[in-house]
Amino acid sequence: MSNSDPKVRPRPGQWPPAPESAAMPPSSWAKRTGFRPKFSGETNASDSGQISLPPRPKEQKDSQPDVEAGRVRTTTPQPKLAPPPAAVNGTDKVLVVPAENKDQTVVKRRRDSDGGNGEGAKKDGLGHGAYGVGQNGAPEVPRREVTRNEEVIYVEDDGFIGGRQTHMKYELRDTPGLVPIGLYGFQHYLSMLGSLVLIPLVIVPAMGGTHEDTSLVVSTVLFVSGVTTLLHTSFGSRLPLIQGPSFVYLAPVLAIINSPEFQRLNGNNFKHIMKELQGAIIIASAFQTILGYSGLMSVFLRLINPVVVAPTIAAVGLSFYSYGFPRVGTCLEIGAVQILLVIMFSLYLRKISVFGHRIFLIYAVPLGLAITWAAAFLLTEAGVYSYKGCDVNVPASNIISEHCRKHVSSMKHCRVDTSYALKSSPWFRFPHPLQWGTPVFEWKMALVMCAVSIISSVDSVGSYHASSLLAASRPPTPGVVSRGIGLEGLCSVLAGLWGTGTGSTTLTENVHTIAVTKMGSRRAVELGACALILLSLIGKVGGFIASIPEVMVAALLCFMWAMLSALGLSNLRYSEAGSSRNIIIVGLSLFFSLSVPAYFQQYGISPDTNLSVPSYLHPYIVASHGPFRSKYGGLNYFLNTLLSLNMVIAFLVAIILDNTVPGSEQERGVYVWSETEAARREPAITKDYELPFRVSRIFRWVKWVGF
């Protein structure tokens, strides 16, 4: 049939049409004008058409990628290189372009969100794209091997230059030896110290617990984190992800702690509230276990994409703005120095390397804490915060002297000798289940935690995908994701039985730690988990951590919450972040995640209202004054509390808009998971995710979990 037939129209190609000749403009006028082509439009900023590297000096022979600066030192072309790895969601496909002269190397990069090809391209089960129509309708160039006169440079979205195999020191199944694995495992956990231990330092004082109670909870958190990490790396997703108390659980826990029925308690509130939290966490964890092992997570997975994950996780960090700096302001000279040190280490000194390790970038939080703590100790010993006739142990309400009232904040928050947790903690203590008593089950609190467990699962899905692109050969199958979520539910049951105060889930900061340390070995994480269990048995370790001054905890949390928000938004790099569709969805999700909870939190509160909780906890007492006031008290509690959580509003807005507003898979950045049948034929994927000890053969009849 001829092309003049009105019923058959040729497929429109890329506009403006791509030049058929070289990728770069002719050097005759490009060198005179300094022209560099840039294409604008509704695409991701990383999806630039071409990247031109500076001329290569002839005298240089060696080449190593500068990871931080994003520059490439020249290299002598190799006789033959292996073809570039297959494109997976979130990675870049690099096409080899012959260099027109010796002084110029052209790298073409195409970003494909749906597995390596454009919308109309065919894919196999592993995310490989078949040759067909590429992005913007342009024909796709087949892969081929590199010849002697060609050079391949992988340019990745996170600023790394060099292939994924190049910038990782150890990948998922690497076991370089006991000593290197031990050192890297210790480094991995030390870099995530803030995420592991800061939550107990917030919730235990809010429950009315003493420094001794804080010490015991910290030891319990370390023990449960080590055990659950071993379980997850062995029988869960099998990715090198540390399990622990997530910030996702912090806001609902604070809301439950400040429930109206707990405000009227007299005596030891800590154990009573902890037992209520244990009951709610156990029920919610059972719900999450059913969600994962029943296969419902595989169905729910179709609705979870980067445009949903990004604002949901960002809202978790942004929701604590009323807690962070107001607590730092109680001793500004200590808290501000803490924040500035962490910023200086993580940003300005991040390129300084000692013995091949960027210690300031990796250990920014521990180093900042150690220096600030030492400085505060010297100031305390020098008597800077000692005032004549004033006793720090006297309650503020009993202080009569106006001179002492003026300095009560400095005495209580700037001194480092007000905590006796280290002295009172035992040398050895084994955390055991039900150590706080029998859990108490309240359905209204359990329903709130069930909703939060869904948000926790969404957070874990994003972490699974991002970490698999760094450390594993391919992304996991939907069954492996379901298996990981199901095991996280079982781990949260253990956290509820032991009484950590929060559920156990994959820490979002894992992805940043893997990218910075370049350590993705599963064995290293497992060895570090064993060391964490041993440390938890030493009571003095928990006492030492519990003695960190509150102002330093708040300063570290400011940095951690900011990092959490940024890590959430970084998921947008898998989608077209410049698309107006995605911009509007993310913008609406973030705005309403701050505005709607503010309405619930401020409802019914007048300027003359006398509240019994500190000002930084006002957002978490909404259950007593929210707009829902029906005759069913439990329903009122559930709705007022749930809709006052920022992450819940962000998740609801994002998941509804992303799954109802039209958009291509590439524009939405739909996560591409490995298909089960194709994964079984790929030995690398099988070795990455198959359960050990032939356990998978027993559960092979469960087709919706694992392989």
Side-chain angles (χ1 to χ4, degrees):
M1 185 177 293
S2 64
N3 293 335
S4 62
D5 191 342
K7 296 183 180 180
V8 179
R9 297 181 179 180
R11 183 183 181 92
Q14 180 181 1
W15 185 262
E20 297 181 0
S21 58
M24 290 294 294
S27 59
S28 59
W29 63 270
K31 291 182 178 179
R32 293 197 305 267
T33 61
F35 173 77
R36 290 187 179 183
K38 293 183 179 179
F39 302 98
S40 60
E42 284 193 359
T43 56
N44 192 352
S46 65
D47 194 8
S48 55
Q50 300 161 348
I51 296 179
S52 177
L53 298 180
R56 178 177 59 194
K58 295 181 180 180
E59 64 272 12
Q60 289 182 323
K61 299 297 183 182
D62 298 325
S63 170
Q64 293 295 333
D66 190 340
V67 173
E68 283 291 333
R71 296 187 298 269
V72 176
R73 294 191 289 271
T74 58
T75 181
T76 304
Q78 299 297 323
K80 193 171 185 179
L81 297 177
V88 192
N89 184 3
T91 59
D92 297 312
K93 178 168 58 185
V94 181
L95 302 179
V96 182
V97 179
E100 295 185 3
N101 54 64
K102 295 182 179 180
D103 296 333
Q104 187 180 48
T105 302
V106 179
V107 181
K108 293 184 66 178
R109 179 179 66 173
R110 181 179 295 133
R111 166 79 174 281
D112 293 327
S113 301
D114 56 348
N117 290 328
E119 185 180 0
K122 297 180 180 179
K123 304 184 295 289
D124 67 5
L126 302 176
H128 305 153
Y131 304 138
V133 180
Q135 185 178 359
N136 299 325
E140 191 169 67
V141 181
R143 300 184 186 278
R144 58 185 175 83
E145 293 188 355
V146 185
T147 62
R148 292 179 60 90
N149 297 325
E150 294 172 342
E151 184 178 89
V152 175
I153 301 174
Y154 303 103
V155 184
E156 301 188 358
D157 291 330
D158 52 5
F160 292 107
I161 294 186
R164 179 179 62 82
Q165 306 289 336
T166 309
H167 75 263
M168 292 297 294
K169 293 180 180 178
Y170 299 113
E171 293 188 342
L172 187 62
R173 287 177 280 113
D174 290 345
T175 53
L178 184 61
V179 174
I181 281 183
L183 292 176
Y184 278 105
F186 177 76
Q187 168 187 276
H188 201 76
Y189 278 85
L190 188 61
S191 63
M192 298 185 64
L193 177 66
S195 303
L196 287 171
V197 302
L198 292 182
I199 290 182
L201 304 185
V202 174
I203 63 174
V204 176
M207 287 189 283
T210 63
H211 294 295
E212 291 77 10
D213 295 329
T214 305
S215 173
L216 297 179
V217 174
V218 169
S219 297
T220 304
V221 166
L222 296 178
F223 178 81
V224 173
S225 177
V227 172
T228 54
T229 300
L230 288 175
L231 290 175
H232 191 81
T233 55
S234 300
F235 305 104
S237 70
R238 306 217 68 200
L239 291 167
L241 300 174
I242 297 176
Q243 307 295 298
S246 173
F247 290 117
V248 173
Y249 286 96
L250 181 56
V253 165
L254 289 175
I256 292 176
I257 291 173
N258 292 279
S259 298
E261 54 265 39
F262 298 149
Q263 301 299 323
R264 299 185 293 268
L265 290 177
N266 294 321
N268 192 351
N269 298 352
F270 168 73
K271 287 190 177 181
H272 183 82
I273 298 176
M274 178 63 81
K275 289 187 289 185
E276 297 270 3
L277 285 175
Q278 286 181 265
I281 291 170
I282 290 173
I283 294 178
S285 304
F287 168 76
Q288 187 179 16
T289 303
I290 296 173
L291 181 67
Y293 285 127
S294 66
L296 292 176
M297 193 63 202
S298 299
V299 179
F300 185 52
L301 207 59
R302 304 170 187 174
L303 306 178
I304 303 175
N305 296 307
V307 181
V308 177
V309 175
T312 302
I313 305 308
V316 175
L318 294 175
S319 62
F320 298 105
Y321 68 92
S322 63
Y323 185 97
F325 204 80
R327 298 290 291 156
V328 174
T330 57
C331 185
L332 198 57
E333 61 267 30
I334 299 297
V337 169
Q338 173 81 77
I339 295 175
L340 291 177
L341 280 175
V342 176
I343 291 175
M344 182 178 66
F345 292 151
S346 60
L347 292 177
Y348 294 100
L349 302 180
R350 71 185 191 277
K351 295 182 181 180
I352 297 179
S353 180
V354 178
F355 300 111
H357 299 275
R358 299 177 186 265
I359 58 172
F360 293 107
L361 178 61
I362 297 174
Y363 306 119
V365 170
L367 284 175
L369 175 62
I371 294 174
T372 309
W373 203 350
F377 175 79
L378 293 177
L379 292 175
T380 302
E381 292 297 316
V384 175
Y385 302 116
S386 299
Y387 302 95
K388 186 176 180 180
C390 302
D391 188 0
V392 69
N393 297 317
V394 176
S397 58
N398 297 338
I399 297 178
I400 302 176
S401 172
E402 188 65 27
H403 170 70
C404 295
R405 284 181 176 272
K406 181 180 178 181
H407 300 289
V408 65
S409 178
S410 298
M411 289 190 300
K412 289 189 175 296
H413 299 102
C414 297
R415 298 178 64 95
V416 297
D417 58 353
T418 57
S419 173
Y420 301 98
L422 182 60
K423 295 180 180 178
S424 60
S425 57
W427 277 102
F428 177 82
R429 182 181 182 275
F430 183 79
H432 57 86
L434 307 179
Q435 56 188 334
W436 314 115
T438 305
V440 178
F441 300 94
E442 286 283 347
W443 70 269
K444 59 182 182 180
M445 299 177 185
L447 286 179
V448 172
M449 280 299 185
C450 286
V452 173
S453 67
I454 297 178
I455 308 296
S456 171
S457 301
V458 172
D459 182 13
S460 298
V461 167
S463 299
Y464 290 173
H465 187 270
S467 60
S468 68
L469 297 180
L470 290 170
S473 57
R474 296 286 188 275
T477 64
V480 172
V481 175
S482 296
R483 187 180 72 198
I485 298 300
L487 190 70
E488 283 189 16
L490 291 178
C491 293
S492 291
V493 171
L494 297 180
L497 292 174
W498 260 261
T500 61
T502 65
S504 177
T505 185
T506 298
L507 299 180
T508 312
E509 296 81 0
N510 273 292
V511 178
H512 177 259
T513 302
I514 293 174
V516 169
T517 61
K518 304 176 185 61
M519 198 286 301
S521 172
R522 183 162 52 209
R523 292 288 179 259
V525 173
E526 292 173 345
L527 191 60
C530 295
L532 204 64
I533 295 174
L534 294 177
L535 287 176
S536 68
L537 304 180
I538 304 174
K540 293 296 183 182
V541 173
F544 176 77
I545 296 174
S547 61
I548 300 176
E550 292 183 3
V551 64
M552 297 183 191
V553 173
L556 292 179
L557 285 173
C558 287
F559 180 79
M560 299 301 299
W561 288 330
M563 279 292 300
L564 182 62
S565 301
L567 287 172
L569 293 176
S570 68
N571 284 275
L572 291 175
R573 72 181 184 268
Y574 302 135
S575 65
E576 291 186 355
S579 166
S580 61
R581 172 193 182 274
N582 296 342
I583 290 175
I584 293 173
I585 291 176
V586 174
L588 288 174
S589 303
L590 289 177
F591 176 78
F592 284 116
S593 72
L594 298 175
S595 186
V596 173
Y599 165 74
F600 278 81
Q601 294 162 7
Q602 299 170 11
Y603 187 89
I605 296 181
S606 62
D608 300 329
T609 304
N610 186 17
L611 299 176
S612 59
V613 299
S615 59
Y616 55 86
L617 293 178
H618 286 178
Y620 309 106
I621 59 173
V622 67
S624 60
H625 58 79
F628 287 99
R629 300 184 179 182
S630 66
K631 61 180 181 180
Y632 303 103
L635 182 62
N636 298 338
Y637 179 93
F638 171 71
L639 293 177
N640 287 326
T641 303
L642 189 66
L643 296 179
S644 68
L645 300 178
N646 306 73
M647 57 187 176
V648 173
I649 301 299
F651 172 71
L652 292 176
V653 174
I655 197 170
I656 291 174
L657 293 180
D658 184 55
N659 289 280
T660 56
V661 177
S664 66
E665 290 187 355
Q666 179 178 343
E667 185 180 20
R668 297 172 61 196
V670 175
Y671 285 137
V672 175
W673 308 99
S674 300
E675 292 183 2
T676 303
E677 294 299 327
R680 289 175 179 171
R681 298 192 300 266
E682 187 81 11
I685 302 181
T686 303
K687 293 179 180 178
D688 283 347
Y689 300 110
E690 192 173 25
L691 294 176
F693 313 119
R694 299 183 179 180
V695 176
S696 57
R697 296 185 179 182
I698 302 176
F699 297 99
R700 183 159 291 182
W701 59 275
V702 189
K703 297 181 180 179
W704 55 84
V705 178
F707 291 101

